């Protein structure tokens, strides 16, 4: 790693950049990121530190890097575009994530990128459908939590939406328990609204009806039910309601409180 550090002068020229981490064993991109300075190299450093500390909670990205290192190889780094301001870099990163996730479903990015939920990849039919939907309005006094679900991919089955929305999110329990309803948001459209009955640390055993879950007690999950018919009609309607971009979760986050 000693020869893979950008000097101050180089970092100044790079400004904000978008990079890819590549597995040299198959030449596949497994992570796309945005950064400044030496951010591109930080993931390998984090993987080594976490391993030395014998940390049990390891992200898929760090585990992937360790597998590469243990095979006797090193991660390959590509600076995909540089010389940008941060806003532009976020947009380039999001576009690359959309492109590479189609080529590699095992891309280790946990989220799709800056504003990808509303401005990301979509068919012409999806664009027309989205922007012809009525805008979301919020009833006075109702406290909402909007959660973006990136894995929906156009499916509008209510059971699928419910399974995705209730497990699991980086939230404060005290604040989450003040919420009246949780909105499920798919690419800028509210596709479901649910009433949380209780919040607790996310443990797979509490959700036996959902497959392939792992314990994440540092996050929250909720037990709940579909909102009453009148609430569903108001916030979702027949085909969904278009959410205001200012009410969407901010960059690199999945949740946003509304009216709270």
């Amino acid at each position: 790693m000693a020869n893979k550090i950008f000097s101050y002068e180089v970092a100044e020229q790079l400004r904000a950049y978008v990079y890819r981490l590549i597995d040299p064993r198959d030449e596949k991109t497994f992570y796309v990121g945005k950064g400044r300075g030496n951010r591109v190299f930080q993931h390998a450093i984090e993987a080594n530190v976490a391993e030395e500390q014998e940390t049990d909670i390891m992200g898929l990205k760090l585990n992937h890097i360790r597998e590469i290192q243990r095979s006797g190889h090193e991660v390959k780094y590509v600076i995909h575009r540089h010389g940008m301001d941060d806003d532009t870099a976020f947009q380039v990163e999001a576009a690359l994530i959309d492109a590479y996730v189609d080529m590699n479903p095992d891309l280790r990015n946990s989220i799709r990128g800056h504003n990808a939920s509303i401005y990301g990849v979509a068919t012409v039919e999806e664009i027309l459908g989205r922007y012809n939907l009525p805008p979301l309005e919020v009833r006075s006094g109702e406290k909402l939590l909007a959660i973006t679900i990136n894995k929906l991919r156009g499916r509008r089955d209510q059971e699928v939406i419910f399974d995705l929305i209730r497990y699991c999110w980086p939230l404060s329990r005290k604040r989450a328990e003040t919420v009246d309803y949780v909105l499920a948001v798919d690419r800028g459209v509210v596709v479901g609204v649910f009433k949380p009955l209780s919040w607790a640390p996310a443990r797979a055993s509490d959700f036996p009806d959902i497959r392939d879950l792992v314990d994440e007690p540092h996050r929250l999950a909720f037990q709940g039910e579909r909102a009453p018919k009148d609430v569903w009609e108001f916030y979702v309607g027949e085909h969904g309601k278009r959410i205001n971009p200012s009410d969407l979760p901010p960059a690199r986050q999945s949740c946003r409180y509304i009216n709270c």
Side-chain angles (χ1 to χ4, degrees), residues 235-253:
Y235 287 116
V236 183
E238 185 176 359
H239 300 295
K241 298 288 183 72
R242 176 166 44 88
I243 194 168
N244 190 312
S246 64
D247 289 328
L248 284 170
R252 300 183 178 277
Q253 296 183 31

Side-chain angles (χ1 to χ4, degrees), residues 79-93:
I79 304 299
H80 203 90
R81 185 64 58 86
H82 68 277
M84 298 176 286
D85 57 45
D86 289 301
D87 287 343
T88 303
F90 275 131
Q91 297 300 331
V92 172
E93 178 199 37

